[in-house]
Amino acid sequence: MSRKRIIAGNWKMNMTPSEAVALVNELKPLVVNEDVDVVFCVPAIDIIPAMEAAKGSNICIGAENMYYEEKGAYTGEISPNMLVDAGVKYVIIGHSERREYFTETDETVNKKVLKAFEHGITPIVCCGETLTQREQGITIDWIHQQIKIAFLNVTADQAKTAVIAYEPIWAIGTGKVATTEQAEEVCAAIRVCIGEIYDEATAEAIRIQYGGSVSASSAPELFTQPDIDGGLVGGASLKPDFGKIVNYNK
């Protein structure tokens, strides 16, 4: 089956609301590609202005995080209902920076994934290994563990609509990029893992992104691999070059 590519920008903690509007307006004409779903995952305070700026374009606005409770005394958190009401369709869950700096675990990632599905939001579930884990040869085992816990109690029908982002931690913002072979090997292993949890049809349907210093020059080779269905792009999503990444096939 043919999976539509999905290229998402993760803005991280960048862009004020006015800067977000300016960036969306600058990128709108540059990211037109009917073969690709284009998503900008932006800071919570930017969601509504970015959504307004993106109206009438092919850009979908997503969130960078959300909490797994409906509402309550969770100061500073964003609920799934808040995202739904704002029109958000995608949310990044379990990014390595959330795990490293904000003590997210595989278990909290699973709670967030389940809650996202409950509210009709597509989770972009992140996984990835450190340099030490890669050097010790446990990359595939480690990522299988992350995926199996993240998808605990997720149905096959839900999983088919999910997005998984493989981001080797050692390649995020470092300028180091996994080779095309390394990226494809792990994305293929993730697809095998989904097949083991569910079935071949689910494995064939799920979209798997590569992230980790993706650039306009590396995108064409990465995104044409059989198991890489697009990218989760960090720093490069804040520049006009993001248009070249989205139009990798032109």
Side-chain angles (χ1 to χ4, degrees), residues 190-242:
I190 291 169
R191 203 173 300 286
V192 168
C193 182
I194 292 294
E196 289 171 356
I197 299 170
Y198 301 103
D199 49 45
E200 195 173 327
T202 307
E204 279 299 308
I206 201 165
R207 294 190 288 181
I208 302 171
Q209 299 173 312
Y210 171 74
S213 300
V214 175
S215 67
S217 58
S218 65
E221 194 179 340
L222 283 165
F223 297 167
T224 49
Q225 296 304 303
D227 291 293
I228 299 177
D229 305 313
L232 183 59
V233 183
S237 69
L238 301 169
K239 303 168 188 165
D241 253 19
F242 189 59

Side-chain angles (χ1 to χ4, degrees), residues 173-191:
T174 60
K176 291 182 183 176
V177 185
T179 65
T180 304
E181 292 73 24
Q182 286 172 323
E184 166 61 19
E185 178 193 19
V186 178
C187 290
I190 291 169
R191 203 173 300 286

Side-chain angles (χ1 to χ4, degrees), residues 117 151 154-163 199 201-203 205-207:
F117 279 126
F151 282 82
V154 172
T155 69
D157 284 343
Q158 289 172 331
K160 283 174 186 171
T161 68
V163 178
D199 49 45
T202 307
I206 201 165
R207 294 190 288 181

Side-chain angles (χ1 to χ4, degrees), residues 91 93-94 99 105-117 121-127 143-166 189-191 193-199 202-203 205-209:
V91 60
I93 293 178
R99 295 175 192 253
T105 64
D106 291 336
E107 288 73 21
T108 57
V109 166
N110 175 240
K111 287 182 178 181
K112 291 183 178 187
V113 167
L114 291 170
K115 189 56 71 171
F117 279 126
I121 305 170
T122 299
I124 299 174
V125 186
C126 297
C127 61
I143 285 166
H144 274 196
Q145 176 180 306
Q146 287 184 314
I147 296 299
K148 284 179 177 176
I149 297 174
F151 282 82
L152 189 64
N153 297 322
V154 172
T155 69
D157 284 343
Q158 289 172 331
K160 283 174 186 171
T161 68
V163 178
I164 295 174
Y166 165 56
I190 291 169
R191 203 173 300 286
C193 182
I194 292 294
E196 289 171 356
I197 299 170
Y198 301 103
D199 49 45
T202 307
I206 201 165
R207 294 190 288 181
I208 302 171
Q209 299 173 312

Side-chain angles (χ1 to χ4, degrees), residues 40-206:
F40 291 174
C41 293
V42 306
I45 198 168
D46 294 344
I47 289 171
I48 290 172
M51 194 83 67
E52 285 295 312
K55 271 187 179 166
S57 76
N58 64 316
I59 297 167
C60 193
I61 301 298
E64 296 180 15
N65 184 36
M66 64 161 221
Y67 200 50
Y68 51 76
E69 296 288 355
E70 299 288 334
K71 58 183 177 181
Y74 306 105
T75 301
E77 290 293 340
I78 305 288
S79 76
N81 277 322
M82 293 173 188
L83 296 183
V84 170
D85 194 62
V88 167
K89 299 285 194 298
Y90 294 89
V91 60
I92 297 172
I93 293 178
H95 191 278
S96 61
E97 289 155 3
R98 296 292 316 170
R99 295 175 192 253
E100 182 180 356
Y101 305 133
F102 306 104
T103 63
E104 290 206 5
T105 64
D106 291 336
E107 288 73 21
T108 57
V109 166
N110 175 240
K111 287 182 178 181
K112 291 183 178 187
V113 167
L114 291 170
K115 189 56 71 171
F117 279 126
E118 198 179 307
H119 287 267
I121 305 170
T122 299
I124 299 174
V125 186
C126 297
C127 61
E129 83 283 15
T130 64
L131 187 57
T132 302
Q133 288 161 344
R134 174 161 281 276
E135 288 173 345
Q136 291 300 318
I138 62 168
T139 295
I140 303 299
D141 289 342
W142 177 261
I143 285 166
H144 274 196
Q145 176 180 306
Q146 287 184 314
I147 296 299
K148 284 179 177 176
I149 297 174
F151 282 82
L152 189 64
N153 297 322
V154 172
T155 69
D157 284 343
Q158 289 172 331
K160 283 174 186 171
T161 68
V163 178
I164 295 174
Y166 165 56
E167 295 198 306
I169 295 167
W170 47 272
I172 299 174
T174 60
K176 291 182 183 176
V177 185
T179 65
T180 304
E181 292 73 24
Q182 286 172 323
E184 166 61 19
E185 178 193 19
V186 178
C187 290
I190 291 169
R191 203 173 300 286
V192 168
C193 182
I194 292 294
E196 289 171 356
I197 299 170
Y198 301 103
D199 49 45
E200 195 173 327
T202 307
E204 279 299 308
I206 201 165

Side-chain angles (χ1 to χ4, degrees), residues 10-64:
N10 175 14
W11 287 14
K12 307 192 179 185
M13 196 176 74
N14 295 293
M15 298 287 144
T16 64
S18 57
E19 288 170 341
V21 169
L23 182 59
V24 170
N25 285 328
E26 181 182 14
L27 289 175
K28 266 195 292 196
L30 305 178
V31 296
V32 178
N33 185 346
E34 290 179 0
D35 301 328
V36 172
D37 285 335
V38 180
V39 184
F40 291 174
C41 293
V42 306
I45 198 168
D46 294 344
I47 289 171
I48 290 172
M51 194 83 67
E52 285 295 312
K55 271 187 179 166
S57 76
N58 64 316
I59 297 167
C60 193
I61 301 298
E64 296 180 15

